């Protein structure tokens, strides 16, 4: 009989590529993870892992078992959802991981609405970068993630996740008032990104999903942006632009509340300069009575935000 807890351990090792990282994600010691993997190999009668440099990789037998593990773990999520539904009332805690502007735009309004719609439901919010919430969800540190599409993210058809699209928002060009494109006569003009090819740029650090969007949009416009200043705080990005330090692309919602008195904000002509935001739960958990109202609340808040 294969132990489902050991299947979770196998999935964590496959995701994180080292026993140490998988142990940290599962809140176990590396020794405990190694023991579980050894027991799983004994249960199955196959070697499941092989050394790969400083990490590990799945063997062919490990890949086969992993596909079944994803299906088994999803079915266990469905079983928990059905039992919770059978138990009756909606009461309990849901941990949601989300990036900061997602919290402001959809999660906080959803919490306000749920306070009257589902008073027994408590939400615990974890502020996480857009590329961190999905690993937290898959590792079991969160029950629901508000995430963005990014290079290297799990694919839309990943069997481990159920997604609910929330919104797509454009990036806007943020320019110093001294920039020619910031002239009052250009207030309604759409900026061709190629016009900014020679400028110094301000942008998020590599690894931030918005960094990938900026690079992709600029590459499609025919140039590599010369990133001189780096910050993951969009208020800091706007402040640097207002000081004449460079130009930037910033998601529209991230400009809410920023000091825009000394910058010009212009739309850009690139469809690639778009942030796509979605909610995700582990497959099989989408019908859990604690998660259903949160997913509905997020979708409703996204629709109201436009």
């Amino acid at each position: 009989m294969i132990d489902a807890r050991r299947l979770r351990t196998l999935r964590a090792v496959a995701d994180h590529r080292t026993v140490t990282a998988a142990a940290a994600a599962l809140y176990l010691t590396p020794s405990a993870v190694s023991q579980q993997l050894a027991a799983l190999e004994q249960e199955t009668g196959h070697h499941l892992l092989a050394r790969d440099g400083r990490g590990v990789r799945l063997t062919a037998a490990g890949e086969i078992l992993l596909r079944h593990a994803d299906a088994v773990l999803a079915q266990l999520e469905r079983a928990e959802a059905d039992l919770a539904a059978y138990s009756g009332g909606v009461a309990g805690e849901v941990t949601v991981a989300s990036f900061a502007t997602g919290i402001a735009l959809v999660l906080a309004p959803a919490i306000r609405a749920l306070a009257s719609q589902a008073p027994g439901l408590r939400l615990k919010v974890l502020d996480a970068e857009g590329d961190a919430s999905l690993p937290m969800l898959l590792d079991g540190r969160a029950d629901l993630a508000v995430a963005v599409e990014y290079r290297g993210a799990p694919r839309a058809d990943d069997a481990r996740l159920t997604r609910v699209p929330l919104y797509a928002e454009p990036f806007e060009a943020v320019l110093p008032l001294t920039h020619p494109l910031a002239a009052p006569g250009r207030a309604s003009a759409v900026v061709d990104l190629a016009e900014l090819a020679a400028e110094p740029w301000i942008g998020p650090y590599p690894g931030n999903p918005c960094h990938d969007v900026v690079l992709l949009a600029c590459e499609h416009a025919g140039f590599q942006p010369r990133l001189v200043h780096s910050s993951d705080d969009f208020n800091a990005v706007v402040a640097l632009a207002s000081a004449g330090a460079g130009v930037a692309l910033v998601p529209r919602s991230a400009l809410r509340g920023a000091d825009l008195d000394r910058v010009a904000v212009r739309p850009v002509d690139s469809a690639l300069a778009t942030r796509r935001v979605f909610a995700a739960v582990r497959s099989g958990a989408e019908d859990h009575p604690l998660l259903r109202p949160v997913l509905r609340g997020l979708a409703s808040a996204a629709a109201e935000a436009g």
Side-chain angles (χ1 to χ4, degrees), residues 1-14:
M1 182 70 70
I2 297 175
D3 190 321
R5 291 172 298 178
R6 292 168 186 156
L7 294 179
R8 292 189 191 277
T9 302
L10 181 68
R11 167 41 78 186
V13 172

Side-chain angles (χ1 to χ4, degrees), residues 135-150:
M136 292 171 70
L137 174 66
L138 292 170
D139 289 341
R141 288 176 286 162
D143 304 306
L144 189 151
V146 177
V148 300
E149 296 287 0
Y150 62 93

